[in-house]
Amino acid sequence: AAVVLSLALGLSGRWALAWYRARRAVTLHSAPPALPPDSSSPAVAPDLFWGTYRPHVYFGMKTRSPKPLLTGLMWAQQGATPGTPKLRHTCEQGDGVGPYGWEFHDGLSFGRQHIQDGALRLTTEFVKRPGGQHGGDWSWRVTVESQASSTSALPLVSLFFYVVTDGQEVLLPEVGAKGQLKFIGGHTSELGDFRFTLLPPTSPGDTAPKYGSYNIFWSSNPGLPLLTEMVKSRLNSWFQHRPPGAPPDRYLGLPGSLKWEDRGPSGQGQFLIQQVTLKVPFSVEFVYESGSAQAGGNQALGQLAGSLLTHALESHAAAFRERFEKTFRLKEKGLSPGEQALGQVALSDLLGGIGYFYGQGLVLPDTGAEGSEQVVDPALFPPVPLFSGVPSRSFFPRGFLWDEGFHQLVVQRWEPRLTREALGHWLGLLNADGWIGREQVLGDEARARVPPEFLVQRAAHANPPTLLLPVAHMLEGGDPADLAFLRRAFPRLHAWFSWLHQSQAGPVPLSYRWRGRDAALPTLLNPKTLPSGLDDYPRASHPSATERHLDLRCWVALGARVLSRLAEQLGEAEAAAELGPLAASLEAEEGLDELHWSAELGVFADFGNHTKAVQLKPRSPQGLVRVVGRPPPRLQYVDALGYITLFPLLLRLLDPNSPRLGPLLDVLADSRHLWSPFGLRSLAASSPFYGQRNSEHDPPYWRGAVWLNVNYLALGALHHYGHLEGPHQAQAAKLHSELRANVVGNVWRQYQATGFLWEQYSDRDGRGMGCRPFHGWTSLVLLVMAEDY
């Protein structure tokens, strides 16, 4: 009976602990928010209320609101191919559109984007005009031109301008002759009275009117991920485009009435779309007017259209160029006009990729039983907003934790306020334990773009704390607004760091281990470590609790250093007393040596149960299977020269007189290992894992390719040591100059050739690889050009 009772109590105790952990995993942190209440509202931040916060569509705007009013653009070339024309709407990796991206975007009130679609070139422009209490007015201009050499048969193109509500807004369209909307009126408590107007098309650059054919469709909102398919399915009627004095052309159009079709239940929202069809070249303007802005004086300024819009766009473009040079000084540094334009694109694409998301993520709680079967199911996180950059509009149009720290290094130089907004939103995602999910899939539009296996975030898994990089820059800059923000944010930053330090603790004091490595499956050459951000970078061949991960220890050391300094500056005595000794211990080189210096390899390294004698070999019918040869795995330092090897250098944890600095610089500079003409390769060419697939269907990722985020850290470190007296000062300065030329030169050449910034670059021929456009951390090329580390 005693045994049964003890067992029952033990089981109930474990169940209660699992339940408690599950609840904390989806409970928001109790610390005060880093941003003021309603910080996204038009009352608090009117100039940020409207924006291009839908990075996954080629062109669209919405409000920073949990229930936003959304606007967007679709287009199709009529009659170019038999059957239904290709309807362009969301950025897709393989749809043949491109290059595309923002030539200018200031992150606040203005942008100009170019999109190449076959022989068509679209230019989308917007400008906002402040006023009133609801975010002000804005106007779009979409210009479509043909790049074909022959002008004998100019294409017929349809543009589709749409407005979508989720139930709180009421749209009141008024139609004129031939299906053309006069305007769309509406009202909400958040926006007040407003009006959309689609103006008559003109020839580009002047006011000469052009004949357009109009179609309209109005229905309940089918759900944002279904908008494209709904329009495709409705393009089932033939119409005639009949300009005066010209032969008619047939085109596929939407049903030409204002009947509200498929009226859904109350609160479902509305979807209203106007199609205008005409011959290129042409321009069309779409104007949004806020009732309170008009009443407050904007009406007297005149509608933001025609010559007024042209003047506003030109004025903003000139101001952007002037401010850009003042901020980054690329012309002053002797960079070519083409390289200066690349820098403007890098910044603009990053700013134009900022999105506003709202929704609930799925979280798998940490049960504390690593490696065993979970006893709880994923749970929904509370509804939260996120204002964040995204890595790629076509492939990763959502927030990623370790990417965002690198994004904000660029944004902070341009518009510190945007960085405070982004950091505040990310810190708003803290759960009760201080954890932030590494990938944020919030809202229907984001969820529709994510494979099911990546929807669930695991509350035991960390990610590199790169948000501390812009925090460190803010701390050094001394801007009073930044310091006021950091004072509010400190409790959350401290909680986040404490969770990282404690939850990822390794097998011996002051060692750390990434939780969440893949299991050692027979199909994997080397189990991946997704939480590290370096995915398939080779770690110990046989995962175990004995592992010590060098990069994670360095990240924690950086975090302790930054937060210790921040606590001291803010007068947080208790936190400073805790963090200061931890930072000193983690930065002590003898401790780093003891845990991670391999005398045999002559470099720092991971430690774990490892053998190099692993290969993928064909085994029918399984396909490629991992075969482990001799010697068998044993506890040892992991021989995998590459980015991880460099982390004590990358995060500037070594004294300039350190005896370990020279060997790291030698490895970095050796073309047999990490040096390439295009930047530092992620894994040494001498490694047996270099360029190797991780499974039959899993090509190499961090196994040789050149990545801009780590090259930026390396350049910053070389610049740092090149300006400090020590035995390696001259070598570091020389390597900085040569590596900077290699990185900038290759990104510029690939941009010239393809029109894109890329996720990664080949260390063999420099070509862009992975997804594109990748305007996330590849935008760091701007700071490299500016030598701003």
Side-chain angles (χ1 to χ4, degrees), residues 1 45 53 92 166 171 183 200 242 266 321 336 374 383 439 442 449 485 501 541 545 567 582 584 706 731 734:
Y53 304 141
E92 304 291 343
D166 67 355
L171 299 180
F183 59 83
R242 303 178 64 95
S266 176
R321 292 187 188 97
S336 69
Q374 294 280 355
E439 188 172 342
L442 304 177
R449 304 293 295 264
F485 167 79
H501 164 57
S541 61
L582 176 62
V706 174
Q731 184 186 12
K734 178 174 181 290

Side-chain angles (χ1 to χ4, degrees), residues 654-705:
L654 300 177
D655 186 272
N657 296 301
S658 169
R660 307 308 187 200
L661 186 54
L664 293 189
L665 293 177
D666 291 341
V667 164
L668 178 154
D670 193 331
S671 60
R672 296 171 301 172
H673 299 311
L674 302 186
W675 191 270
S676 88
F678 316 106
L680 300 181
R681 51 174 70 96
S682 43
L683 190 64
S686 57
S687 170
F689 290 96
Y690 170 74
Q692 295 298 307
R693 303 183 71 86
N694 202 48
S695 76
E696 189 168 2
H697 307 291
D698 197 3
Y701 201 44
W702 293 85
R703 296 190 178 176

